[in-house]
Amino acid sequence: MRPRLWVLVLVALACALGLANTACEDITARTIVVWHAYRGDEERAIEELASRFEKAHPGTLVELLAVPFEAYPAKLEAAAPHGHGPDVFIDTHGRLGAYRREHVVAPTPPDVADPAQYDTIALDAVSEGGRLFAVPLSTKCVALYYDVDLLPEPPATLEDLVAAKLPEGTLPLAYEANSAYFHAALLSAFGGRLLDDHGAFAFDSDAGVRSLELVHELTAKHAIPAEPSGALVTQLFASKQAAAVIGGPWLRSDLGDKVRYRVAPLPKIARSGELMRPLLTVEGAMLTPHGATRPLAVDFVQFLGSKEAAIVLATVGHQVVARRDAWTDPALAGDPVLGAFHDAVRSSVPMSSSTRMQAAWVPANEAIEKALRGEDPRAALAEARRRFDDATKPPPPPSSPTPALVVLGLVLLAASIQIARRTRLADVKASLPAYRYTAHAVLVVLVLVVVPLLAGAATSLFAGSRDDMRYVGFANYVAILTARGGALLGHGSFYLTLLVTVLWTLLNVTLHVAIGVALGVLLSRPLLKLRAAYRALLVLPWAVPSYVTALAWKGMFHRQFGAVNALLGLVGVHPISWFSRFSTALTANVTTNVWLGFPFMMVVTIGALTSIPKEVLEAAEVDGATRWQRFWRVTLPLLRPALLPAVVLGGIWTFNMFNVVFLVSGGEPDGETDILVSEAYRWAFTRDAQYGYAAAYAVLIFGLLWLITRATRKWQGAGT
Amino acid sequence: MTSLLRKIEPLLVHLAVLVALAFALYPILWVLSTALSAGGLGAHSGAIPRPHDVTLDNFRTVVGTDRVGGTALFGRQVLSSIVVSLATAVVGVVIATPAAYALARFRFVGARTGERALLATQMFPAVASAVPLYLILDALHLLDTRLGLVLVYASTAVPFAIFQLRGAFETIPVDLEEAAMVDGATRGQAFVRVVLPAARPAIAVTALFCFMSAWNEFILAATLLSRESAFTLPVVLQRYVGEHDAAWGPFAAGAILVSLPVMIFFYVAQRQLVSGLTAGGVKG
């Protein structure tokens, strides 16, 4: 016991030290904090620029922070309004609409950037109402990469490319046909676009129908791969299974020197006679309101927009810079890939920076998926428009908070009277020793768990985005519970999603418990050889970060290139298109989640089994009970107290397990495999930041789970 | 018949475990083959995972040998991850154990309400509570500190830890403590000297759970921490996913590296699982 105790003390000390040295360093007046989401060569370029600026301004410190792309907007929107954010941040112009609304970005002072020095298209993208909100640094759009061994010349039209003579088994083209970002280029060749100038959905036009008919034709002819993803497209091109791919500058670093390729702007579509115009995003250096007040930060932004900086961004970071005069530099002029992308920018269409753009992606993607599966494009687009309009409906009118406050007051009063009547002082006094054991847990959970949750729940009574939150009473709840005026079991309705969620939870929990308990019991056999090794290996699905493994599973369920179909093929099963039907898509999700979750149940079982005194099990053996009887009559009942919390909480967590559904099926087909919590996340993060509506979903989920657990308790109580 | 069954039974058990092992490891072999492939390709190629152009470049990228000061930074981030996760395990268990003991052994006012409230916290999707949490930590001056992150993780893990430990305490016979108290120990001494050792397997499982919840969390760590050297490993890994594409090779390599300490931690923790009751000195 003694030595172990020492180890514990040492560990605790080490932890304490590790925690102690984290006190915030003083941010001096000569420090500029800069956030970005760059990695690889682009990160090296910004680091180089930071050190050059530090050299030019002695005593200055540029503190760079690389934030993961997925956490970037959330972190910025949490920090900047409270003065904790950066002085300068680099982001795409597409988010400017949201950032202006959240007061994350301030206008760039007019003398910082000389308009004559930048590409007009880039400058326009970062301006609004005659004011500049960023210094444009680089531009990104897609172009055509073609393998020069297979295609000596860039094709003049898409039709030429599809008809090109290629070796057996080589696809003419690979691109993410199921993504609206890529499809926008085809759409533009027919004269269409996703959003019009007023932020209304414009995909449901004749142009939209014709573009969808074209992609369906391409897939049916096997000219492009089915179920494409970024990783698949890269791999097909790198392994010469595709002669050309549509991709952005980012593809360059993934390809390395595996293929000999050139880049050209996207070709024309012969049947419309027009060029495919890709969507353009402009990356710019933006100032936070705090940063805009600091001359040093403004200087740094000005430096990032200079010719010198542009050359570093282009040569080190391989970026298509927006600064015009940088392109006369020999290093840039000698880079054909960069030059091709610069040409492609000229025929591109800047992405809308309206916050409504966010709400357009999911319906547009769903319409494209349907068309790829062969459904009627016109109906698919009409449905997409309905979903877009529904998600962007103006918030309900504000209502007076008085009735709710009165009700709340009365409820609180009644509750406190009830508590005061039921508890006697003597009981409380007798409870004092117990409170000594529980006080710290109560305090921590109250402050860091309950209060944030209650604050979250309170937002469900509000509507609109964060800066014009208005009180709307129970309007959000009414809208959800009436399926927003649609059919009660219609697409995406609360009740239909609830049924899917219940099915999802039951399947998962049953399999988790069955597999976990079975393995736990097997691995607790005292005489089993290699027991420790088995145990350590079987926790791996829990140990490896689930983001990677969930995506590995998604890849394994790919129709054409996935391992699951390859394995099934060995026993003669025809390839299954896993994500095109509800039943198979749910199977894929459940398989992944069972894989992720069984080790937890196994570990809990092993832990619980070791707590059971061996004498009890031995006594049953002496009684002559068979193994099977011993398991059901002795082991399982003894496991129950330890397993029950794991099963109840496991069920609750599965009910709210958003990641696996999001990463594996992504709701496919057509949102049918979405569960309630993914619906909540969609309202918060992909439908114009409607936090109030999302919070109402969360409260309803909470209410449902509460009722379900209460009902199970009652039912269990009656059973025993 | 039964004697034959008895003979082949160990074989059958091994067979069943091996099937489970195949299910558990197959997807990880895909991750491994992606990690070993140049350019990180290899997610889609038939039934057997095998890397293209085997290379350790992806591991080098993660460890940071291609950047000036990259290795030192990665080292500090590994340390940061271990410190945060171990501290979460310690703080979580220290907070949860006495509370769970009180729930298992005392009758007190508010016990049922507290228990229900704990369960309720797990039911609420945290969809709108990130900003309030941010403001609370700001008010406590714990923003951008590992201590703040540890407290958030530990308090989130406490409800499960309490339920798990209460279940374990309930399976321990009350006679043990009563015997100790008859011998002159106080309630607190009986708890520390008698009950805790007997509940060691459950405490190990709970510690593992707290450790894991901190080890794999990414979004709160990325939101609450603002210094690169304090970033935990999931935040570092998530950086390989960009707006338009993801660097799967380094991500997969990093995922493999990240899971190694967990296996070691588990391997050590499971010794606690084996010892169980007898090690607590409880006989008859």
Side-chain angles (χ1 to χ4, degrees):
Chain A
M1 225 25 223
R2 284 276 131 193
R4 282 223 186 108
L5 201 67
W6 275 112
V7 171
L8 264 183
V9 170
L10 281 179
V11 168
L13 262 176
C15 290
L17 285 175
L19 296 167
N21 72 19
T22 62
C24 281
E25 294 147 32
D26 281 333
I27 293 181
T28 63
R30 302 295 296 166
T31 304
I32 319 167
V33 179
V34 181
W35 287 5
H36 65 93
Y38 287 140
R39 58 188 161 84
D41 290 339
E42 294 183 328
E43 187 179 12
R44 265 183 281 276
I46 191 88
E47 280 168 351
E48 161 80 25
L49 290 176
S51 68
R52 280 196 194 190
F53 186 78
E54 283 171 355
K55 271 197 201 111
H57 299 73
T60 304
L61 190 69
V62 179
E63 214 178 86
L64 291 175
L65 183 69
V67 180
F69 169 75
E70 280 184 22
Y72 199 77
K75 186 176 175 69
L76 207 52
E77 284 169 22
H82 305 111
H84 292 296
D87 300 303
V88 177
F89 62 102
I90 297 171
D91 209 337
T92 66
H93 81 280
R95 295 222 189 92
L96 271 176
Y99 288 160
R100 280 210 314 276
R101 193 176 63 191
E102 309 287 342
H103 306 293
V104 167
V105 68
T108 310
D111 53 332
V112 168
D114 173 9
Q117 295 302 340
Y118 299 91
D119 285 337
T120 324
I121 193 167
L123 216 52
D124 286 349
V126 293
S127 308
E128 182 69 40
R131 281 193 299 178
L132 201 62
F133 281 90
V135 171
L137 300 181
S138 66
T139 47
K140 283 196 173 122
C141 68
V142 295
L144 192 75
Y145 285 72
Y146 61 99
D147 187 327
V148 287
D149 296 334
L150 298 168
L151 299 168
E153 288 297 317
T157 66
L158 184 64
E159 284 83 348
D160 285 354
L161 174 60
V162 171
K165 265 201 180 323
L166 295 168
E168 184 66 31
T170 302
L171 294 164
L173 177 66
Y175 76 101
E176 290 173 62
N178 49 3
S179 145
Y181 173 74
F182 287 87
H183 187 79
L186 279 78
L187 180 61
S188 71
F190 292 98
R193 49 190 177 158
L194 292 170
L195 279 193
D196 68 14
D197 291 336
H198 311 290
F201 197 69
F203 193 6
D204 60 330
S205 55
D206 283 337
V209 174
R210 292 178 68 195
S211 69
L212 288 182
E213 281 168 354
L214 176 61
V215 276
H216 178 239
E217 238 176 86
L218 293 175
T219 321
K221 266 201 269 184
H222 300 292
I224 55 175
E227 299 179 21
S229 66
L232 179 67
V233 168
T234 315
Q235 186 179 336
L236 288 175
F237 193 58
S239 59
K240 289 192 170 293
Q241 285 174 279
V245 292
I246 298 177
W250 55 87
L251 199 58
R252 197 176 181 180
S253 62
D254 292 339
L255 290 174
D257 46 12
K258 280 191 279 287
V259 254
R260 295 204 306 133
Y261 65 85
R262 283 197 205 111
V263 177
L266 294 181
K268 274 185 181 173
I269 291 181
R271 68 174 72 169
S272 75
E274 291 294 324
L275 268 179
M276 292 202 265
R277 296 168 172 277
L279 283 179
L280 180 79
T281 52
V282 178
E283 280 168 5
M286 307 176 186
L287 285 159
T288 55
H290 175 68
T293 63
R294 305 187 56 201
L296 201 59
V298 177
D299 279 354
F300 184 63
V301 168
Q302 185 159 27
F303 170 69
L304 287 180
S306 70
K307 182 182 175 186
E308 180 195 350
I311 291 170
V312 171
L313 287 174
T315 51
V316 178
H318 305 298
Q319 302 197 41
V320 185
V321 288
R323 179 99 189 179
R324 271 192 195 142
D325 48 3
W327 288 94
T328 54
D329 189 89
L332 271 74
D335 186 336
V337 174
L338 223 49
F341 274 109
H342 196 216
D343 291 343
V345 169
R346 273 182 217 133
S347 54
S348 65
V349 185
M351 193 189 288
S352 160
S353 67
S354 154
T355 51
R356 294 166 73 89
M357 192 69 216
Q358 249 196 10
W361 294 118
V362 174
N365 287 339
E366 285 168 348
I368 300 170
E369 287 283 1
K370 281 187 194 162
L372 287 171
R373 284 200 296 270
E375 290 176 34
D376 174 31
R378 203 168 290 274
L381 288 173
E383 176 63 17
R385 180 193 191 93
R386 200 191 64 71
R387 286 179 197 172
F388 175 85
D389 288 346
D390 186 40
T392 52
K393 245 197 313 220
S399 60
S400 156
T402 328
L405 284 176
V406 170
V407 170
L408 185 71
L410 286 177
V411 167
L412 283 178
L413 194 69
S416 31
I417 290 173
Q418 184 76 1
I419 289 169
R421 264 182 44 194
R422 273 220 303 225
T423 46
R424 286 178 310 163
L425 202 62
D427 287 344
V428 177
K429 265 195 183 146
S431 308
L432 282 178
Y435 293 155
R436 279 219 302 271
Y437 285 80
T438 52
H440 49 298
V442 171
L443 183 73
V444 172
V445 172
L446 213 59
V447 174
L448 292 175
V449 180
V450 176
V451 170
L453 287 181
L454 286 181
T459 52
S460 69
L461 302 175
F462 295 79
S465 55
R466 224 176 268 160
D467 103 304
D468 71 338
M469 279 277 188
R470 50 174 101 166
Y471 180 83
V472 294
F474 291 94
N476 289 329
Y477 294 94
V478 172
I480 293 172
L481 291 174
T482 56
R484 298 176 74 81
L488 281 189
L489 285 177
H491 173 272
S493 85
F494 179 76
Y495 303 97
L496 186 67
T497 319
L498 174 62
L499 288 179
V500 176
T501 314
V502 169
L503 181 64
W504 153 260
T505 310
L506 286 178
L507 284 173
N508 273 305
V509 172
T510 312
L511 289 167
H512 280 156
V513 173
I515 297 177
V517 170
L519 283 173
V521 169
L522 287 183
L523 291 177
S524 296
R525 296 165 69 98
L527 294 178
L528 186 70
K529 282 183 186 139
L530 295 173
R531 196 166 66 154
Y534 282 149
R535 285 177 175 181
L537 284 173
L538 281 171
V539 289
L540 262 175
W542 190 18
V544 183
S546 62
Y547 193 95
V548 172
T549 46
L551 285 165
W553 273 103
K554 186 186 171 73
M556 283 166 55
F557 280 113
H558 191 274
R559 189 188 164 280
Q560 199 176 350
F561 303 97
V564 176
N565 278 352
L567 286 174
L568 289 175
L570 296 179
V571 291
V573 179
H574 281 288
I576 297 168
S577 185
W578 288 93
F579 300 115
S580 67
R581 272 190 309 164
F582 171 75
S583 57
T584 49
L586 188 70
T587 309
N589 284 349
V590 170
T591 309
T592 308
N593 198 46
V594 166
W595 182 85
L596 281 169
F598 83 85
F600 171 68
M601 283 293 173
M602 182 187 87
V603 170
V604 170
T605 308
I606 293 175
L609 275 177
T610 35
S611 300
I612 297 175
K614 291 193 180 53
E615 296 81 357
V616 181
L617 292 173
E618 280 159 13
E621 204 161 357
V622 173
D623 287 348
T626 65
R627 258 164 207 289
W628 199 241
Q629 284 171 330
R630 282 213 307 268
F631 176 73
W632 283 104
R633 304 244 176 97
V634 184
T635 315
L636 215 53
L638 283 170
L639 279 177
R640 229 182 87 124
L643 273 187
L644 204 62
V647 174
V648 171
L649 286 171
I652 291 170
W653 294 333
T654 310
F655 201 91
N656 288 335
M657 172 57 78
F658 152 77
N659 273 346
V660 171
V661 175
F662 180 75
L663 291 174
V664 177
S665 81
E668 273 188 63
D670 199 27
E672 284 172 26
T673 50
D674 268 336
I675 58 175
L676 283 176
V677 72
S678 24
E679 203 59 23
Y681 273 84
R682 290 214 164 161
W683 284 103
F685 299 112
T686 69
R687 290 176 190 157
D688 204 6
Q690 300 194 39
Y691 290 100
Y693 207 82
Y697 253 101
V699 173
L700 284 172
I701 290 171
F702 168 75
L704 270 170
L705 283 170
W706 184 249
L707 287 178
I708 293 171
T709 44
R710 285 307 289 271
T712 346
R713 280 273 163 83
K714 281 242 167 76
W715 172 72
Q716 269 182 344
T720 46
Chain B
M1 178 70 190
T2 33
S3 67
L4 180 72
L5 202 69
R6 205 148 268 208
K7 254 186 207 152
I8 60 166
E9 202 191 74
L11 263 177
L12 288 176
V13 170
H14 277 282
L15 201 69
V17 174
L18 285 176
V19 169
L21 216 53
F23 174 60
L25 295 186
Y26 185 68
I28 290 170
L29 290 182
W30 280 104
V31 176
L32 191 64
S33 102
T34 308
L36 290 172
S37 298
L41 303 171
H44 304 273
S45 41
I48 298 147
R50 61 180 156 231
H52 305 248
D53 320 323
V54 179
T55 167
L56 289 177
D57 281 354
N58 293 321
F59 288 93
R60 287 195 196 103
T61 308
V62 174
V63 176
T65 47
D66 56 347
R67 276 173 69 179
V68 182
T71 323
L73 181 64
F74 185 74
R76 291 185 69 175
Q77 289 163 337
V78 171
L79 198 68
S80 178
S81 250
I82 293 177
V83 165
V84 166
S85 305
L86 276 182
T88 304
V90 172
V91 173
V93 167
V94 166
I95 292 177
T97 314
Y101 181 67
L103 283 173
R105 289 289 194 262
F106 297 111
R107 296 173 64 93
F108 59 95
V109 178
R112 265 161 63 89
T113 318
E115 215 170 292
R116 283 188 193 160
L118 281 181
L119 191 62
T121 59
Q122 302 295 295
M123 299 176 180
F124 206 100
V127 64
S129 52
V131 173
L133 190 62
Y134 189 94
L135 295 178
I136 290 170
L137 285 181
D138 189 16
L140 296 173
H141 297 286
L142 287 174
L143 208 57
D144 198 15
T145 65
R146 275 174 277 205
L147 181 62
L149 195 63
V150 165
L151 285 177
V152 171
Y153 287 158
S155 57
T156 323
V158 153
F160 171 78
I162 290 181
F163 285 121
Q164 183 65 27
L165 288 169
R166 192 199 51 184
F169 289 145
E170 277 170 357
T171 60
I172 296 168
V174 188
D175 317 354
L176 290 179
E177 296 141 81
E178 282 171 356
M181 279 152 77
V182 167
D183 289 348
T186 63
R187 170 66 87 170
Q189 285 167 338
F191 169 58
V192 174
R193 302 250 172 88
V194 179
V195 180
L196 283 188
R200 224 155 56 185
I203 292 176
V205 170
T206 311
L208 180 70
F209 170 81
C210 294
F211 182 91
M212 289 300 299
S213 68
W215 187 255
N216 277 341
E217 203 282 335
F218 137 71
I219 195 85
L220 279 177
T223 309
L224 299 178
L225 297 176
S226 289
R227 274 166 310 122
E228 212 171 346
S229 61
F231 274 177
T232 54
L233 292 176
V235 183
V236 178
L237 286 193
Q238 207 67 29
R239 286 200 42 226
Y240 293 110
V241 178
E243 180 177 9
H244 297 288
D245 68 333
W248 289 119
F251 201 153
I256 300 283
L257 290 181
V258 160
S259 54
L260 289 180
V262 178
M263 287 190 59
I264 295 168
F265 186 79
F266 182 72
Y267 201 82
V268 174
Q270 73 167 348
R271 297 231 319 257
Q272 304 293 317
L273 293 182
V274 183
S275 46
L277 261 184
T278 43
V282 186
K283 290 265 157 62

